[in-house]
Amino acid sequence: MTPATKSSAAGAALWPLPFWIAHRGAGRLAPENTLAAFRRGAELGHIAFECDVKRSADGELFLLHDDTLLRTTDGGDRVAGHLDWNELSRLDAGSWHSPIYAGEPLPRLDAIARACRARGWGLNLEIKPTPGDEAETGAAVARAVRRLWQGCAALPLLSSFRPEALAAAQAVAPELPRALLLHTLWDGWSDIADRLAVVAVVTHHPLMDAALVQRLHAAGRRAVCYTVNDAAEAQRLQAAGVDGLITDEVERFSPAVQR
Ligand code: G3P
Ligand code: MG
């Protein structure tokens, strides 16, 4: 069964991702969640990327994993989502990784959209809200994606650990494909997945097995795992029938390995 013909819980949206998805861009070889990381992954043959998106205090959408700026920028331990874009845009998000990336900026979502559309890259946008900003971030991401990918057949997959963020995205742009991220199989996740009409469930990799893959497929959903960096684990999950794996090991795991 090809990706395009498998049934979709969210309606007409096509499944937008190949089997291998580079985590945070190629977020170990280059500073995570920057355009440099996407480019590095593309140089290695990757055609799809996962990244984390949040909202600034004045409503701009930009890529960052952590709540604070401390680990991956020179902005100190301030909460990123409490600053305006004018301040965030001047930060160095590359030097922490290595000197050749000094001055690499935090990318705004519109820059990521331009690169993805120009290069034909697939995208898994993880909605990673600042605590307390879940619904606003989910709604803002959905509005922006609808506008930025207008006319594209392959839309980004919007994923989140936070059902409130996905619900807000669903309310604003129900046509966009959504995925529920699961760090544990918490009580009620399946009912929430139904309510959110997700096209995929993306689990922490040890949670996935053939029975869960079959259960997801029977519900018309894809089964995807994060973050798989071990060859034996990748083989186990492929044998279980998963549809995609998110990896940091962008050199070892070739995007040419497609199912
Ligand atoms: O989207 C999958 C994965 O990125 C979730 O975990 O913490 O790396 O964003 P994290
Ligand atoms: Mg992520």
Side-chain angles (χ1 to χ4, degrees):
M1 186 176 283
T2 66
T5 58
K6 200 165 185 174
S7 69
S8 159
L14 299 181
W15 176 245
L17 297 169
F19 188 79
W20 289 110
I21 303 156
H23 189 219
R24 307 182 193 176
R28 282 197 181 165
L29 299 182
E32 64 183 52
N33 284 316
T34 66
L35 267 169
F38 279 61
R39 289 194 194 103
R40 187 76 191 96
E43 282 166 9
L44 295 165
H46 280 270
I47 55 171
F49 302 92
E50 185 268 359
C51 62
D52 306 292
V53 61
K54 46 171 50 76
R55 207 173 68 110
S56 69
D58 57 344
E60 294 290 348
L61 296 169
F62 65 100
L63 304 195
L64 189 74
H65 179 274
D66 299 358
D67 289 338
T68 77
L69 296 162
L70 186 62
R71 184 176 60 88
T72 59
T73 78
D74 61 350
D77 63 358
R78 293 173 294 171
V79 175
H82 293 174
L83 301 180
D84 285 349
W85 177 248
N86 182 40
E87 192 160 1
L88 294 166
S89 65
R90 287 184 272 125
L91 296 176
D92 176 352
S95 288
W96 70 275
H97 183 278
S98 41
I100 57 161
Y101 293 114
E104 183 70 27
L106 292 171
R108 242 175 23 185
L109 181 59
D110 55 0
I112 296 296
R114 266 196 305 279
C116 287
R117 291 194 59 159
R119 306 279 299 266
W121 294 335
L123 189 64
N124 172 198
L125 263 184
E126 183 190 340
I127 305 169
K128 192 76 113 182
T130 301
D133 201 36
E134 288 81 6
E136 291 79 0
T137 305
V141 168
R143 270 193 297 271
V145 166
R146 177 185 264 175
R147 176 172 53 82
L148 293 167
W149 272 266
Q150 196 174 19
C152 274
L155 297 166
L157 177 68
L158 307 186
S159 64
S160 189
F161 289 106
R162 306 306 305 261
E164 323 85 286
L166 291 172
Q170 179 182 24
V172 164
E175 77 281 9
L176 299 178
R178 290 173 297 284
L180 182 62
L181 272 162
L182 295 175
H183 185 61
T184 62
L185 297 176
W186 40 265
D187 282 351
W189 70 265
S190 187
D191 291 341
I192 296 288
D194 285 343
R195 209 171 308 154
L196 293 169
V198 296
V199 300
V201 169
V202 182
T203 73
H204 184 36
H205 63 88
L207 302 177
M208 190 65 79
D209 58 17
L212 182 52
V213 172
Q214 280 162 24
R215 182 176 170 190
L216 292 170
H217 285 176
R221 303 197 163 103
R222 262 69 177 193
V224 177
C225 297
Y226 74 93
T227 303
V228 180
N229 297 329
D230 174 74
E233 179 66 344
Q235 212 168 14
R236 180 187 76 79
L237 292 162
Q238 284 186 279
V242 298
D243 301 288
L245 296 178
I246 299 172
T247 186
D248 295 312
E249 288 290 333
V250 293
E251 289 175 295
R252 184 190 323 184
F253 296 126
S254 162
V257 181
Q258 305 228 0
R259 299 173 73 253

